[in-house]
Amino acid sequence: MKRKFVFLCWVVLISCLFSPVRVNGEISDNMERMPQTDSIQFSLLTCAPGNEIYALFGHTAIRYQNFSRGVDLVFNYGMFSFNTPHFLYRFVKGETDYQLGITPYPYFESEYAFRGSSVYQQVLNLTNLEKISLLKLLQDNYLPENRIYRYNYFYDNCTTRARDQIERSIQGKVVYPSVDWHKTFRGIVHEFTKGSPWDELGIDLCLGAEADKPIDIRQQMFAPFYMRYFAQDAYIQTPDGGRRPLVLREEKIVDAELEAESSWGISPMVAATLFLLLNVIIGFFQWKKQMIFWGWDILLYAVQGIAGCIIAFLFFVSSHPTVGSNWLLVLFNPLPLFYLPFMIYRELKHKKDLYHTCNLVYLTLFIVLFPFLPQDFNLTVLPLALGLLVNAASHVLVLNKKQ
């Protein structure tokens, strides 16, 4: 395994170091001396999902082949670096920059074969003029001033960028097949996170009600395998009334099998249920002993408040799509974290504190209205809310009995 990892590192390093130098020359030469015979082929590549969260939904790229000159390159709009300054902050804020990269096909193939992700190739049915146009568009996109773009997961990603360049090169209009299903962004995300429940929970906690609105066919193409599906039966409507299929043929060019990753010991629902059970046990002993276990409270309200700060940041500051309509802000908000010092102070001074009574009413209303709110919540949220409710109820019972 260690040798495989070292090999992959060398492949990626060599690709990054040498492919840009080679690419500029190859593209420029081809633009200046376009062959008379049709020796150029463009293909839409769809890569199967990987185990990492950023690879769960697959990937899309464009393959350029010039058979007469022995050129075989992949245009990849999904290049990014974790080493970018303030990467995590910019990612959460929705200011992640991706860029167009160009890689020799053998390196691209080796990377996905090593990862265990199959790659499907759809050969595009383009005319010579359309191929020249697409090559020019990709060349312009690769200019230093153009190659970096502001990534938007649902509306402007590696798949939509590849689709848009292909459509711009075509003399006519691409018509995609109609479907009778109704999809949402969250629904499509769930299709690709079935085997990763913790990743699914994390994504669900960030997405708001906007992710649950019906989306049209074009919006569904943010997902690589939806793009592949719609491209397969799409056709090009030419200005003279002619029609031809967008895809000539499809083939699997990398046949690989993804190794199953060892999952966490318990699922999010089991963990949330244990959280609820723990609050019931602690609440019972608090009521029985007529005392508050402040160690547990400090931990509980701190974690709840930190989660609330993240969701509030996404809600009010981030430019990520759909996060600004997240009703989970009702349940997870920064208030418990900010109020925690006052809560402890009032307890030490034996002063009456209505926070827990208000919290009890507040949480009860949230749970009652849970099925009616305009957002599809992850069901794990319910036992989490019940656990917080039990904690608030135990405080009210203890404080009332003391008085």
Tab-separated table of all heavy atoms in Angstrom, residues 217-260:
chain	number	residue	atom	x	y	z
A	217	ILE	N	-34.064	19.963	-15.350
A	217	ILE	CA	-33.073	19.037	-15.903
A	217	ILE	C	-31.677	19.659	-15.914
A	217	ILE	O	-30.692	19.010	-15.552
A	217	ILE	CB	-33.484	18.620	-17.325
A	217	ILE	CG1	-34.695	17.683	-17.271
A	217	ILE	CG2	-32.332	17.943	-18.051
A	217	ILE	CD1	-35.267	17.344	-18.621
A	218	ARG	N	-31.603	20.909	-16.308
A	218	ARG	CA	-30.294	21.567	-16.402
A	218	ARG	C	-29.624	21.676	-15.035
A	218	ARG	O	-28.417	21.490	-14.898
A	218	ARG	CB	-30.446	22.943	-17.036
A	218	ARG	CG	-29.138	23.552	-17.471
A	218	ARG	CD	-29.327	24.735	-18.403
A	218	ARG	NE	-28.053	25.166	-18.935
A	218	ARG	CZ	-27.431	24.596	-19.955
A	218	ARG	NH1	-27.976	23.554	-20.560
A	218	ARG	NH2	-26.265	25.038	-20.376
A	219	GLN	N	-30.405	21.973	-14.008
A	219	GLN	CA	-29.844	22.059	-12.657
A	219	GLN	C	-29.409	20.692	-12.149
A	219	GLN	O	-28.451	20.585	-11.378
A	219	GLN	CB	-30.873	22.673	-11.712
A	219	GLN	CG	-31.120	24.152	-11.956
A	219	GLN	CD	-32.273	24.679	-11.123
A	219	GLN	OE1	-33.370	24.102	-11.112
A	219	GLN	NE2	-32.049	25.776	-10.410
A	220	GLN	N	-30.091	19.632	-12.587
A	220	GLN	CA	-29.714	18.283	-12.165
A	220	GLN	C	-28.346	17.880	-12.699
A	220	GLN	O	-27.698	16.984	-12.163
A	220	GLN	CB	-30.766	17.279	-12.632
A	220	GLN	CG	-32.120	17.431	-11.958
A	220	GLN	CD	-33.190	16.531	-12.556
A	220	GLN	OE1	-32.899	15.438	-13.042
A	220	GLN	NE2	-34.437	16.990	-12.531
A	221	MET	N	-27.896	18.554	-13.753
A	221	MET	CA	-26.616	18.203	-14.367
A	221	MET	C	-25.418	18.647	-13.541
A	221	MET	O	-24.273	18.463	-13.973
A	221	MET	CB	-26.530	18.803	-15.771
A	221	MET	CG	-27.501	18.225	-16.759
A	221	MET	SD	-27.266	18.960	-18.399
A	221	MET	CE	-28.889	18.679	-19.112
A	222	PHE	N	-25.643	19.213	-12.358
A	222	PHE	CA	-24.494	19.503	-11.493
A	222	PHE	C	-23.819	18.204	-11.069
A	222	PHE	O	-22.628	18.182	-10.743
A	222	PHE	CB	-24.946	20.287	-10.253
A	222	PHE	CG	-25.478	19.429	-9.139
A	222	PHE	CD1	-24.646	18.967	-8.124
A	222	PHE	CD2	-26.812	19.055	-9.086
A	222	PHE	CE1	-25.122	18.176	-7.089
A	222	PHE	CE2	-27.307	18.265	-8.062
A	222	PHE	CZ	-26.459	17.828	-7.054
A	223	ALA	N	-24.585	17.099	-11.078
A	223	ALA	CA	-24.058	15.787	-10.688
A	223	ALA	C	-23.497	15.087	-11.920
A	223	ALA	O	-24.194	14.948	-12.928
A	223	ALA	CB	-25.161	14.943	-10.053
A	224	PRO	N	-22.248	14.642	-11.889
A	224	PRO	CA	-21.618	14.045	-13.072
A	224	PRO	C	-22.415	12.919	-13.721
A	224	PRO	O	-22.519	12.871	-14.949
A	224	PRO	CB	-20.279	13.526	-12.523
A	224	PRO	CG	-19.969	14.453	-11.395
A	224	PRO	CD	-21.292	14.772	-10.766
A	225	PHE	N	-22.976	12.016	-12.921
A	225	PHE	CA	-23.680	10.888	-13.532
A	225	PHE	C	-25.034	11.292	-14.093
A	225	PHE	O	-25.559	10.633	-14.995
A	225	PHE	CB	-23.804	9.733	-12.534
A	225	PHE	CG	-22.605	8.836	-12.550
A	225	PHE	CD1	-21.461	9.190	-11.861
A	225	PHE	CD2	-22.599	7.670	-13.299
A	225	PHE	CE1	-20.336	8.392	-11.898
A	225	PHE	CE2	-21.488	6.855	-13.354
A	225	PHE	CZ	-20.342	7.215	-12.647
A	226	TYR	N	-25.617	12.375	-13.624
A	226	TYR	CA	-26.823	12.910	-14.263
A	226	TYR	C	-26.448	13.549	-15.593
A	226	TYR	O	-27.183	13.425	-16.587
A	226	TYR	CB	-27.508	13.913	-13.334
A	226	TYR	CG	-28.441	13.252	-12.350
A	226	TYR	CD1	-27.954	12.587	-11.229
A	226	TYR	CD2	-29.812	13.272	-12.546
A	226	TYR	CE1	-28.799	11.963	-10.334
A	226	TYR	CE2	-30.682	12.654	-11.656
A	226	TYR	CZ	-30.163	12.001	-10.551
A	226	TYR	OH	-31.017	11.365	-9.672
A	227	MET	N	-25.314	14.240	-15.633
A	227	MET	CA	-24.828	14.806	-16.890
A	227	MET	C	-24.597	13.689	-17.904
A	227	MET	O	-24.964	13.807	-19.083
A	227	MET	CB	-23.536	15.582	-16.634
A	227	MET	CG	-22.928	16.232	-17.869
A	227	MET	SD	-23.938	17.562	-18.533
A	227	MET	CE	-23.999	17.114	-20.267
A	228	ARG	N	-23.979	12.629	-17.476
A	228	ARG	CA	-23.727	11.489	-18.369
A	228	ARG	C	-25.038	10.918	-18.901
A	228	ARG	O	-25.160	10.623	-20.098
A	228	ARG	CB	-22.955	10.415	-17.604
A	228	ARG	CG	-22.738	9.117	-18.377
A	228	ARG	CD	-22.274	8.010	-17.460
A	228	ARG	NE	-22.316	6.717	-18.126
A	228	ARG	CZ	-22.427	5.558	-17.493
A	228	ARG	NH1	-22.500	5.527	-16.173
A	228	ARG	NH2	-22.459	4.426	-18.161
A	229	TYR	N	-26.031	10.770	-18.029
A	229	TYR	CA	-27.319	10.208	-18.433
A	229	TYR	C	-28.008	11.096	-19.480
A	229	TYR	O	-28.464	10.606	-20.513
A	229	TYR	CB	-28.225	10.053	-17.209
A	229	TYR	CG	-29.644	9.645	-17.566
A	229	TYR	CD1	-29.972	8.313	-17.777
A	229	TYR	CD2	-30.646	10.615	-17.706
A	229	TYR	CE1	-31.274	7.948	-18.120
A	229	TYR	CE2	-31.938	10.251	-18.047
A	229	TYR	CZ	-32.239	8.914	-18.255
A	229	TYR	OH	-33.522	8.558	-18.608
A	230	PHE	N	-28.065	12.396	-19.211
A	230	PHE	CA	-28.758	13.295	-20.136
A	230	PHE	C	-27.999	13.446	-21.453
A	230	PHE	O	-28.613	13.604	-22.509
A	230	PHE	CB	-28.964	14.664	-19.480
A	230	PHE	CG	-30.026	14.665	-18.418
A	230	PHE	CD1	-29.702	14.952	-17.094
A	230	PHE	CD2	-31.344	14.377	-18.722
A	230	PHE	CE1	-30.686	14.952	-16.110
A	230	PHE	CE2	-32.332	14.375	-17.744
A	230	PHE	CZ	-31.996	14.655	-16.437
A	231	ALA	N	-26.653	13.396	-21.394
A	231	ALA	CA	-25.871	13.519	-22.627
A	231	ALA	C	-26.093	12.314	-23.546
A	231	ALA	O	-26.081	12.461	-24.779
A	231	ALA	CB	-24.386	13.652	-22.291
A	232	GLN	N	-26.306	11.145	-22.956
A	232	GLN	CA	-26.433	9.921	-23.747
A	232	GLN	C	-27.562	10.011	-24.776
A	232	GLN	O	-27.423	9.563	-25.914
A	232	GLN	CB	-26.656	8.714	-22.823
A	232	GLN	CG	-26.720	7.383	-23.550
A	232	GLN	CD	-25.444	7.071	-24.316
A	232	GLN	OE1	-24.346	7.137	-23.763
A	232	GLN	NE2	-25.565	6.762	-25.592
A	233	ASP	N	-28.686	10.591	-24.418
A	233	ASP	CA	-29.837	10.670	-25.313
A	233	ASP	C	-30.091	12.083	-25.841
A	233	ASP	O	-31.143	12.347	-26.435
A	233	ASP	CB	-31.098	10.162	-24.598
A	233	ASP	CG	-31.013	8.670	-24.281
A	233	ASP	OD1	-30.486	7.921	-25.119
A	233	ASP	OD2	-31.459	8.262	-23.186
A	234	ALA	N	-29.146	12.986	-25.626
A	234	ALA	CA	-29.305	14.351	-26.127
A	234	ALA	C	-29.017	14.389	-27.633
A	234	ALA	O	-28.330	13.521	-28.182
A	234	ALA	CB	-28.368	15.295	-25.386
A	235	TYR	N	-29.550	15.406	-28.287
A	235	TYR	CA	-29.254	15.575	-29.716
A	235	TYR	C	-28.996	17.046	-30.010
A	235	TYR	O	-29.369	17.936	-29.240
A	235	TYR	CB	-30.387	15.040	-30.592
A	235	TYR	CG	-31.710	15.745	-30.451
A	235	TYR	CD1	-32.018	16.885	-31.206
A	235	TYR	CD2	-32.676	15.268	-29.567
A	235	TYR	CE1	-33.243	17.524	-31.075
A	235	TYR	CE2	-33.907	15.898	-29.423
A	235	TYR	CZ	-34.180	17.021	-30.190
A	235	TYR	OH	-35.392	17.659	-30.058
A	236	ILE	N	-28.332	17.280	-31.131
A	236	ILE	CA	-27.999	18.637	-31.563
A	236	ILE	C	-28.983	19.057	-32.648
A	236	ILE	O	-29.112	18.379	-33.670
A	236	ILE	CB	-26.557	18.699	-32.100
A	236	ILE	CG1	-25.565	18.308	-30.996
A	236	ILE	CG2	-26.237	20.090	-32.640
A	236	ILE	CD1	-24.143	18.119	-31.483
A	237	GLN	N	-29.682	20.145	-32.394
A	237	GLN	CA	-30.604	20.718	-33.371
A	237	GLN	C	-29.854	21.809	-34.127
A	237	GLN	O	-29.491	22.845	-33.564
A	237	GLN	CB	-31.826	21.307	-32.665
A	237	GLN	CG	-32.914	21.816	-33.597
A	237	GLN	CD	-33.709	20.680	-34.220
A	237	GLN	OE1	-34.243	19.838	-33.512
A	237	GLN	NE2	-33.773	20.682	-35.546
A	238	THR	N	-29.575	21.599	-35.415
A	238	THR	CA	-28.803	22.548	-36.211
A	238	THR	C	-29.699	23.650	-36.765
A	238	THR	O	-30.917	23.476	-36.877
A	238	THR	CB	-28.086	21.823	-37.369
A	238	THR	OG1	-29.070	21.163	-38.176
A	238	THR	CG2	-27.112	20.782	-36.823
A	239	PRO	N	-29.119	24.806	-37.133
A	239	PRO	CA	-29.924	25.928	-37.647
A	239	PRO	C	-30.732	25.587	-38.891
A	239	PRO	O	-31.780	26.174	-39.142
A	239	PRO	CB	-28.864	26.996	-37.954
A	239	PRO	CG	-27.721	26.677	-37.049
A	239	PRO	CD	-27.702	25.184	-36.956
A	240	ASP	N	-30.254	24.623	-39.704
A	240	ASP	CA	-30.979	24.261	-40.922
A	240	ASP	C	-32.068	23.225	-40.682
A	240	ASP	O	-32.656	22.692	-41.628
A	240	ASP	CB	-30.002	23.751	-41.979
A	240	ASP	CG	-29.237	22.510	-41.522
A	240	ASP	OD1	-29.511	22.013	-40.406
A	240	ASP	OD2	-28.358	22.038	-42.271
A	241	GLY	N	-32.340	22.912	-39.417
A	241	GLY	CA	-33.402	21.971	-39.091
A	241	GLY	C	-32.935	20.533	-38.949
A	241	GLY	O	-33.737	19.638	-38.661
A	242	GLY	N	-31.637	20.298	-39.156
A	242	GLY	CA	-31.109	18.946	-39.021
A	242	GLY	C	-30.984	18.526	-37.567
A	242	GLY	O	-31.095	19.337	-36.645
A	243	ARG	N	-30.738	17.239	-37.400
A	243	ARG	CA	-30.623	16.706	-36.046
A	243	ARG	C	-29.597	15.578	-36.050
A	243	ARG	O	-29.584	14.739	-36.955
A	243	ARG	CB	-31.979	16.179	-35.569
A	243	ARG	CG	-31.933	15.521	-34.205
A	243	ARG	CD	-33.254	14.859	-33.838
A	243	ARG	NE	-34.336	15.814	-33.628
A	243	ARG	CZ	-35.509	15.501	-33.100
A	243	ARG	NH1	-35.754	14.251	-32.722
A	243	ARG	NH2	-36.432	16.416	-32.956
A	244	ARG	N	-28.746	15.590	-35.024
A	244	ARG	CA	-27.792	14.498	-34.883
A	244	ARG	C	-27.542	14.257	-33.397
A	244	ARG	O	-27.658	15.188	-32.588
A	244	ARG	CB	-26.469	14.826	-35.601
A	244	ARG	CG	-25.640	15.927	-34.969
A	244	ARG	CD	-24.376	16.197	-35.790
A	244	ARG	NE	-23.442	17.072	-35.120
A	244	ARG	CZ	-23.449	18.402	-35.198
A	244	ARG	NH1	-24.375	19.008	-35.931
A	244	ARG	NH2	-22.541	19.123	-34.555
A	245	PRO	N	-27.229	13.025	-33.007
A	245	PRO	CA	-27.007	12.743	-31.586
A	245	PRO	C	-25.770	13.460	-31.070
A	245	PRO	O	-24.791	13.649	-31.798
A	245	PRO	CB	-26.830	11.221	-31.550
A	245	PRO	CG	-26.410	10.845	-32.934
A	245	PRO	CD	-27.089	11.820	-33.846
A	246	LEU	N	-25.808	13.883	-29.815
A	246	LEU	CA	-24.654	14.543	-29.202
A	246	LEU	C	-23.516	13.561	-28.982
A	246	LEU	O	-22.347	13.906	-29.140
A	246	LEU	CB	-25.064	15.169	-27.859
A	246	LEU	CG	-23.950	15.799	-27.018
A	246	LEU	CD1	-23.331	16.984	-27.746
A	246	LEU	CD2	-24.467	16.225	-25.644
A	247	VAL	N	-23.862	12.314	-28.618
A	247	VAL	CA	-22.850	11.301	-28.298
A	247	VAL	C	-22.842	10.221	-29.377
A	247	VAL	O	-23.889	9.652	-29.709
A	247	VAL	CB	-23.138	10.672	-26.916
A	247	VAL	CG1	-22.181	9.516	-26.644
A	247	VAL	CG2	-23.019	11.730	-25.816
A	248	LEU	N	-21.659	9.948	-29.918
A	248	LEU	CA	-21.520	8.896	-30.920
A	248	LEU	C	-21.569	7.513	-30.297
A	248	LEU	O	-22.257	6.617	-30.776
A	248	LEU	CB	-20.202	9.071	-31.680
A	248	LEU	CG	-20.154	10.132	-32.786
A	248	LEU	CD1	-18.735	10.264	-33.317
A	248	LEU	CD2	-21.111	9.736	-33.915
A	249	ARG	N	-20.823	7.366	-29.210
A	249	ARG	CA	-20.776	6.063	-28.540
A	249	ARG	C	-20.256	6.267	-27.123
A	249	ARG	O	-19.642	7.289	-26.815
A	249	ARG	CB	-19.881	5.075	-29.293
A	249	ARG	CG	-18.415	5.485	-29.335
A	249	ARG	CD	-17.568	4.500	-30.134
A	249	ARG	NE	-16.163	4.889	-30.133
A	249	ARG	CZ	-15.643	5.778	-30.973
A	249	ARG	NH1	-16.412	6.369	-31.874
A	249	ARG	NH2	-14.350	6.070	-30.897
A	250	GLU	N	-20.501	5.282	-26.281
A	250	GLU	CA	-20.007	5.316	-24.903
A	250	GLU	C	-19.257	4.043	-24.613
A	250	GLU	O	-19.650	2.954	-25.055
A	250	GLU	CB	-21.162	5.488	-23.908
A	250	GLU	CG	-20.689	5.471	-22.452
A	250	GLU	CD	-21.830	5.681	-21.454
A	250	GLU	OE1	-22.536	6.694	-21.593
A	250	GLU	OE2	-22.002	4.827	-20.566
A	251	GLU	N	-18.175	4.168	-23.848
A	251	GLU	CA	-17.394	2.998	-23.460
A	251	GLU	C	-16.767	3.233	-22.091
A	251	GLU	O	-16.557	4.384	-21.681
A	251	GLU	CB	-16.305	2.727	-24.511
A	251	GLU	CG	-15.402	3.917	-24.771
A	251	GLU	CD	-14.508	3.714	-25.984
A	251	GLU	OE1	-14.207	2.552	-26.310
A	251	GLU	OE2	-14.119	4.718	-26.608
A	252	LYS	N	-16.499	2.139	-21.411
A	252	LYS	CA	-15.800	2.235	-20.127
A	252	LYS	C	-14.314	2.111	-20.407
A	252	LYS	O	-13.848	1.061	-20.860
A	252	LYS	CB	-16.261	1.133	-19.179
A	252	LYS	CG	-15.619	1.220	-17.800
A	252	LYS	CD	-15.970	0.022	-16.926
A	252	LYS	CE	-17.365	0.130	-16.364
A	252	LYS	NZ	-17.637	-0.931	-15.348
A	253	ILE	N	-13.560	3.169	-20.142
A	253	ILE	CA	-12.135	3.168	-20.468
A	253	ILE	C	-11.259	2.856	-19.260
A	253	ILE	O	-10.079	2.549	-19.415
A	253	ILE	CB	-11.718	4.506	-21.103
A	253	ILE	CG1	-12.098	5.689	-20.209
A	253	ILE	CG2	-12.335	4.663	-22.486
A	253	ILE	CD1	-11.606	7.035	-20.720
A	254	VAL	N	-11.823	2.961	-18.069
A	254	VAL	CA	-11.133	2.516	-16.857
A	254	VAL	C	-12.120	1.634	-16.103
A	254	VAL	O	-13.183	2.096	-15.690
A	254	VAL	CB	-10.689	3.689	-15.958
A	254	VAL	CG1	-10.074	3.169	-14.664
A	254	VAL	CG2	-9.685	4.579	-16.687
A	255	ASP	N	-11.776	0.388	-15.962
A	255	ASP	CA	-12.650	-0.557	-15.261
A	255	ASP	C	-12.008	-0.888	-13.920
A	255	ASP	O	-11.054	-1.651	-13.843
A	255	ASP	CB	-12.827	-1.823	-16.101
A	255	ASP	CG	-13.937	-2.725	-15.569
A	255	ASP	OD1	-14.543	-2.368	-14.536
A	255	ASP	OD2	-14.196	-3.780	-16.164
A	256	ALA	N	-12.505	-0.252	-12.882
A	256	ALA	CA	-11.902	-0.408	-11.550
A	256	ALA	C	-12.995	-0.646	-10.521
A	256	ALA	O	-14.173	-0.379	-10.755
A	256	ALA	CB	-11.083	0.820	-11.185
A	257	GLU	N	-12.583	-1.136	-9.380
A	257	GLU	CA	-13.531	-1.406	-8.294
A	257	GLU	C	-13.068	-0.689	-7.043
A	257	GLU	O	-11.915	-0.830	-6.617
A	257	GLU	CB	-13.636	-2.909	-8.032
A	257	GLU	CG	-14.693	-3.277	-7.004
A	257	GLU	CD	-14.870	-4.780	-6.853
A	257	GLU	OE1	-14.356	-5.519	-7.701
A	257	GLU	OE2	-15.516	-5.196	-5.870
A	258	LEU	N	-13.966	0.083	-6.461
A	258	LEU	CA	-13.632	0.872	-5.284
A	258	LEU	C	-13.562	-0.020	-4.054
A	258	LEU	O	-14.473	-0.801	-3.788
A	258	LEU	CB	-14.688	1.964	-5.072
A	258	LEU	CG	-14.415	2.997	-3.980
A	258	LEU	CD1	-13.206	3.847	-4.337
A	258	LEU	CD2	-15.644	3.873	-3.776
A	259	GLU	N	-12.461	0.113	-3.314
A	259	GLU	CA	-12.331	-0.644	-2.074
A	259	GLU	C	-13.223	-0.022	-1.008
A	259	GLU	O	-13.210	1.198	-0.808
A	259	GLU	CB	-10.882	-0.634	-1.590
A	259	GLU	CG	-9.936	-1.417	-2.470
A	259	GLU	CD	-8.528	-1.447	-1.903
A	259	GLU	OE1	-8.351	-1.002	-0.742
A	259	GLU	OE2	-7.616	-1.903	-2.600
A	260	ALA	N	-13.996	-0.855	-0.344
A	260	ALA	CA	-14.887	-0.350	0.698
A	260	ALA	C	-14.065	0.148	1.877
A	260	ALA	O	-13.164	-0.530	2.363
A	260	ALA	CB	-15.839	-1.457	1.156
